[in-house]
Amino acid sequence: MEKKFLFTIFLPIIVIIAYTLIFHINPESIVLKINPYFVVVFFLFYFLQIGLLAYRDSKISGLPISITYKARLFANGVGLIIPGALGPDLARAIFYVKGKRMGLDKAFSISLYESFYDVVVLSVLFLILIWFHFSPVELILVLTALGNIILWIGGIGYVYGTSHKSLNRIENIIFSIKYIKPLQNAYLNGKGAIKSRMSNPVLTTLSLILTALAYIIQSIPFYLLFNSFFFSILVNTTYQVSLLVPIPSAAGVAELALTALLPPLLVVQIRILELVSFAFGLIYIKDIKLSELKDEVKAVWRTT
């Protein structure tokens, strides 16, 4: 298990080294030929974008922005190692639970609902922009974006349409299974938490606007490199969609996606900056107490 964990951590580094060898990139040029102003602005706008999404998350969750800001940073760090709902989404939920702010069932449901906006808005932006600069290499990202839109809208739509105080016929069959039945109340509570927020049109509209604005803000630093706001958003959304591919740190996929748009040296420079920015969130791992998480899991599963 430890070997797999270490491999996951070093995988993006291994891929970057292999990429530099394949494209004959001088390691010194990665540092010496990078625009220093771009580096500074990149990190400033990364934290600004996190702040905007944290503000949205605070409106959705009802928690202080100081909590949602840390949660989002931490989730990004965890996403370097564990992609998908078991990574960033669960990481944010753990932060929400900390200090008995809310139960794990409600926290995880809210975290998933936040990801609904992250993924769908990003995917729509990418699909709109990519057709102006389409390359066959990007086909995997197009399919990834389409698949995520369909799955997330379908999943959230199902939750909204079936959020009642009791299970439907299919759910009754599923929760009749011995090891799943203890999760029945948590499942119903989670669906209720999502529906109550979806039923608020002001919150829904605000969440869509803030999410789109966050991705646009995150793209601004790239204007220093390309002198084109349109292309800057395309590069940023292309990279972010590559992270939806269920591979730790999108190792290999991110490099391939950016190569269709940028020269190899710039691909490596941007990739390293993105990895470093996400890694900042791991400083909050010390704030997580496993004993608290264990108690919450027991409460949800109704075990003793």
Side-chain angles (χ1 to χ4, degrees):
M1 186 68 177
E2 291 182 0
K3 290 182 179 179
K4 289 183 179 179
F5 183 72
L6 288 173
F7 177 74
T8 300
I9 293 175
F10 287 105
L11 181 59
I13 299 174
I14 294 170
V15 171
I16 289 174
I17 292 173
Y19 187 91
T20 59
L21 292 174
I22 292 171
F23 287 95
H24 306 289
I25 299 172
N26 185 344
E28 291 183 356
S29 64
I30 297 173
V31 177
L32 297 178
K33 292 187 177 181
I34 195 168
N35 184 332
Y37 297 107
F38 170 68
V39 175
V40 174
V41 175
F42 176 88
F43 285 111
L44 285 175
F45 277 81
Y46 171 73
F47 290 115
L48 180 60
Q49 177 247 4
I50 291 292
L52 198 59
L53 290 177
Y55 174 72
R56 183 208 66 189
D57 294 347
S58 71
K59 291 297 183 182
I60 293 175
S61 65
L63 295 172
I65 191 171
S66 59
I67 301 301
T68 57
Y69 190 87
K70 291 180 180 178
R72 187 151 282 274
L73 281 173
F74 177 62
N76 281 356
V78 172
L80 291 175
I81 305 168
I82 309 171
L86 292 179
D89 298 341
L90 182 58
R92 282 201 308 279
I94 292 171
F95 235 94
Y96 293 168
V97 167
K98 186 177 178 292
K100 304 294 182 181
R101 299 183 187 102
M102 63 176 68
L104 183 59
D105 50 357
K106 182 179 179 182
F108 189 51
S109 299
I110 289 173
S111 182
L112 286 173
Y113 185 53
E114 293 164 353
S115 285
F116 163 72
Y117 289 105
D118 294 337
V119 175
V120 172
V121 172
L122 168 65
S123 297
V124 169
L125 282 173
F126 170 74
L127 289 175
I128 291 173
L129 296 173
I130 194 61
W131 296 115
F132 295 94
H133 206 289
F134 181 74
S135 166
V137 178
E138 306 287 8
L139 182 59
I140 182 64
L141 294 190
V142 170
L143 294 176
T144 298
L146 283 172
N148 272 276
I149 290 173
I150 293 170
L151 289 174
W152 276 98
I153 291 180
I156 291 295
Y158 175 82
V159 167
Y160 186 84
T162 62
S163 285
H164 309 295
K165 294 182 178 180
S166 59
L167 302 174
N168 59 37
R169 185 177 300 177
I170 297 175
E171 292 170 339
N172 267 315
I173 295 173
I174 295 173
F175 283 97
S176 65
I177 300 172
K178 180 180 178 181
Y179 294 104
I180 298 180
K181 189 172 180 59
L183 293 172
Q184 177 176 319
N185 287 336
Y187 174 72
L188 291 172
N189 291 339
K191 287 174 69 176
I194 292 176
K195 183 171 184 178
S196 66
R197 286 156 176 79
M198 288 184 69
S199 301
N200 184 337
V202 175
L203 178 61
T204 300
T205 303
L206 180 64
S207 297
L208 289 169
I209 293 173
L210 289 175
T211 307
L213 187 58
Y215 284 120
I216 292 173
I217 285 175
Q218 191 181 26
S219 305
I220 291 176
F222 295 103
Y223 185 83
L224 294 175
L225 302 178
F226 312 125
N227 210 28
S228 168
F229 197 50
F230 171 85
F231 192 69
S232 298
I233 299 175
L234 174 59
V235 169
N236 182 49
T237 55
T238 297
Y239 180 83
Q240 299 303 324
V241 168
S242 74
L243 299 181
L244 299 179
V245 179
I247 297 174
S249 304
V253 179
E255 287 81 4
L256 181 63
L258 290 177
T259 301
L261 301 171
L262 306 172
L265 176 60
L266 200 51
V267 169
V268 174
Q269 291 171 332
I270 291 174
R271 180 69 165 136
I272 292 174
L273 289 177
E274 294 281 1
L275 290 172
V276 172
S277 66
F278 272 45
F280 275 125
L282 294 176
I283 63 174
Y284 294 111
I285 197 167
K286 65 182 186 300
D287 294 343
I288 304 300
K289 294 182 179 179
L290 293 179
S291 58
E292 287 185 7
L293 179 60
K294 185 178 179 181
D295 291 341
E296 288 297 329
V297 171
K298 283 184 176 181
V300 169
W301 221 293
R302 295 189 178 278
T303 60
T304 57

